[in-house]
């Protein structure tokens, strides 16, 4: 037997032994057996037997073995799975979404995004889980395209998927695609504020002088959510915005960041500010930030 391939040894065993390839495969899958033997057994099964093994064991397998089955059986013919999708029972639909979720191609992603719209929570949650596993470069375009379509539940579900992705990959891809989706740019800014990182700052800086005050409001809110001390030069510009609600959020953010470098700029703004609400906020922020310097002076006096 030494030197014989695994497939040859299996064929010999199947010919002279009692077990059939199907039975061996089922045992290996349920026993979380050897991947090479599982793949060899799969190669010996008919299409009907492959479908049968999925029906029998799918829900008992761990994700790794589910992926192995999905890739071996459905990589080339996944469209056949989805042909009568909307006529199937809910549990069958869930399984199909799970299977397609392991295939990860440009062709399968739109199907998964479409299932996010499902009114059946089990299906939308399964699609969400599957999409979280994909690379941002594969999923973002179809998901952003879906955001441009009117749908009550989809935006929240897409944002939930984005939360599960790697932050650096997500931010990079969102910035690349920003100019391609003018109709949802405010939403993209919101997503960057919620899920982004320092990579977001150059884009946000470009938008500080946007003619649309609603977009500038999204920018300052994004900066508040990001909570990055490195964003303080952008916030300094925004405390002088012509719209007082934008000035208010910028001042609040500088106070939250305890940004001592902003103190002189806040004092300059206070000298010219006319809105009473904003003046109150400026005074409060100046007081809070000024307090940070006092302990240092006290400690210096004590040391002397």
């Amino acid at each position: 037997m030494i030197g014989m391939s695994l497939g040859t040894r299996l064929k010999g065993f199947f010919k002279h032994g009692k077990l059939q390839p199907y039975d061996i495969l089922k045992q290996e899958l349920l026993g979380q057996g050897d991947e090479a033997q599982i793949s060899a057994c799969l190669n010996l099964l008919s299409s009907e037997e492959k479908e049968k093994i999925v029906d029998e064991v799918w829900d008992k397998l761990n994700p790794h073995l589910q992926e192995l089955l999905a890739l071996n059986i459905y990589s080339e013919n996944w469209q056949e799975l989805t042909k009568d999708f909307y006529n199937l029972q809910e549990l069958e639909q869930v399984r199909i979404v799970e299977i397609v979720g392991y295939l990860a191609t440009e062709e399968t992603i739109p199907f998964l995004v479409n299932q996010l719209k499902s009114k059946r929570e089990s299906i939308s949650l399964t699609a969400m889980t599957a999409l979280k596993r994909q690379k941002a470069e594969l999923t973002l375009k179809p998901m952003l395209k879906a955001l441009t379509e009117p749908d009550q539940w989809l935006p929240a579900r897409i944002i939930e998927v984005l939360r599960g992705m790697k932050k650096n990959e997500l931010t990079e891809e969102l910035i690349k695609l920003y100019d391609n989706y003018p109709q949802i740019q405010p939403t993209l800014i919101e997503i960057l504020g919620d899920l982004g990182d320092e990579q977001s700052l150059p884009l946000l800086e470009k938008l500080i002088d946007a003619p649309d005050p609603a977009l500038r409001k999204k920018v300052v809110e994004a900066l508040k959510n990001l909570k990055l001390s490195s964003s303080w030069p952008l916030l300094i510009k925004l405390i002088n915005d012509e719209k007082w609600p934008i000035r208010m959020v910028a001042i609040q953010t500088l106070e939250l960041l305890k940004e001592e470098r902003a103190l002189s700029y806040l004092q300059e703004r206070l000298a010219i500010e006319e809105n009473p609400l904003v003046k109150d906020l400026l005074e409060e922020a100046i007081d809070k930030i000024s307090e940070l310097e006092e302990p240092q002076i006290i400690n210096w006096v004590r040391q002397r």
Side-chain angles (χ1 to χ4, degrees):
M1 296 287 282
I2 295 171
M4 294 173 65
S5 71
L6 177 62
T8 305
R9 294 202 302 273
L10 282 170
K11 283 178 184 174
F13 177 79
F14 297 146
K15 183 176 180 182
H16 302 293
K18 293 180 180 179
L19 292 178
Q20 295 298 311
Y22 185 93
D23 301 314
I24 294 284
L25 175 60
K26 187 173 176 180
Q27 284 184 8
E28 289 294 323
L29 286 168
L30 294 177
Q32 299 184 32
D34 180 69
E35 286 186 24
Q37 188 156 325
I38 289 170
S39 297
C41 287
L42 278 167
N43 289 335
L44 298 172
L45 297 190
S46 67
S47 299
E48 291 76 16
E49 287 174 317
K50 289 177 180 177
E51 293 287 343
K52 185 182 174 188
I53 198 75
V54 170
D55 285 339
E56 285 196 28
V57 304
W58 182 264
D59 294 331
K60 300 169 187 172
L61 300 181
N62 63 40
H64 180 68
L65 288 177
Q66 286 183 339
E67 183 177 15
L68 183 66
L69 268 191
L71 291 171
N72 269 276
I73 299 174
Y74 298 107
S75 288
E76 303 299 324
N77 64 339
W78 69 272
Q79 291 94 336
E80 291 298 313
L81 268 179
T82 62
K83 191 180 290 182
D84 296 316
F85 182 80
Y86 295 102
N87 297 322
L88 299 175
Q89 296 296 312
E90 185 171 347
L91 286 176
E92 292 177 284
Q93 290 181 329
V94 167
R95 181 189 296 168
I96 288 171
V97 174
E98 286 176 341
I99 290 170
V100 174
Y102 287 116
L103 303 181
T105 68
E106 286 186 10
E107 290 74 31
T108 58
I109 298 300
F111 170 79
L112 294 172
V113 172
N114 206 37
Q115 299 322 306
L116 284 179
K117 303 175 187 177
S118 177
K119 292 178 181 175
R120 293 176 169 178
E121 191 175 19
S122 61
I123 294 170
S124 64
L125 287 175
T126 304
M128 205 180 289
T129 302
L131 284 164
K132 285 178 182 178
R133 290 197 300 266
Q134 317 303 325
K135 290 183 178 179
E137 62 192 42
L138 262 184
T139 56
L140 266 184
K141 281 185 182 178
M143 285 200 291
L144 295 182
K145 182 177 181 296
L147 279 177
T148 66
E149 302 164 5
D151 187 282
Q152 184 178 359
W153 306 112
L154 195 56
R157 289 171 179 174
I158 284 178
I159 288 172
E160 187 58 35
V161 172
L162 297 178
R163 284 183 195 282
M165 294 183 171
K166 291 181 181 176
K167 189 174 275 194
N168 59 337
E169 284 181 18
L170 173 64
T171 305
E172 187 179 337
E173 290 299 318
L174 279 173
I175 290 167
K176 279 184 198 171
L177 295 170
Y178 178 83
D179 289 330
N180 298 343
Y181 297 91
Q183 66 272 55
I184 57 165
Q185 283 175 351
T187 305
L188 294 184
I189 294 301
E190 210 171 310
I191 293 170
L192 281 172
D194 212 16
L195 310 174
D197 54 25
E198 292 217 21
Q199 293 179 85
S200 312
L201 294 184
L203 174 61
L204 296 177
E205 185 172 16
K206 279 198 319 187
L207 299 173
I208 282 175
D209 299 317
D212 181 3
L215 191 57
R216 299 200 305 276
K217 183 80 171 357
K218 291 287 184 187
V219 169
V220 75
E221 287 168 350
L223 291 170
K224 184 177 182 180
N225 289 335
L226 285 170
K227 301 182 182 70
L228 297 170
S229 60
S230 54
S231 70
W232 79 274
L234 283 64
L235 293 162
I236 291 304
K237 294 179 183 178
L238 288 163
I239 66 173
N240 292 302
D241 194 278
E242 63 181 31
K243 298 293 182 182
W244 66 266
I246 295 173
R247 298 201 297 277
M248 283 185 70
V249 178
I251 294 160
Q252 288 170 335
T253 307
L254 286 167
E255 182 184 334
L256 286 170
L257 292 173
K258 301 180 172 66
E259 188 49 68
E260 294 177 66
R261 291 168 291 184
L263 196 54
S264 61
Y265 297 95
L266 292 167
Q267 289 165 337
E268 286 174 17
R269 182 67 216 181
L270 180 60
I272 59 171
E273 182 59 60
E274 296 179 358
N275 185 291
L277 285 173
V278 180
K279 282 185 84 165
D280 287 347
L281 265 181
L282 279 164
E283 288 171 354
E284 184 182 324
I286 289 166
D287 287 345
K288 288 276 177 67
I289 295 170
S290 297
E291 286 171 9
L292 298 172
E293 296 180 338
E294 289 174 11
Q296 295 173 9
I297 296 168
I298 293 167
N299 288 337
W300 181 76
V301 171
R302 282 178 181 163
Q303 286 169 9
R304 292 192 66 190

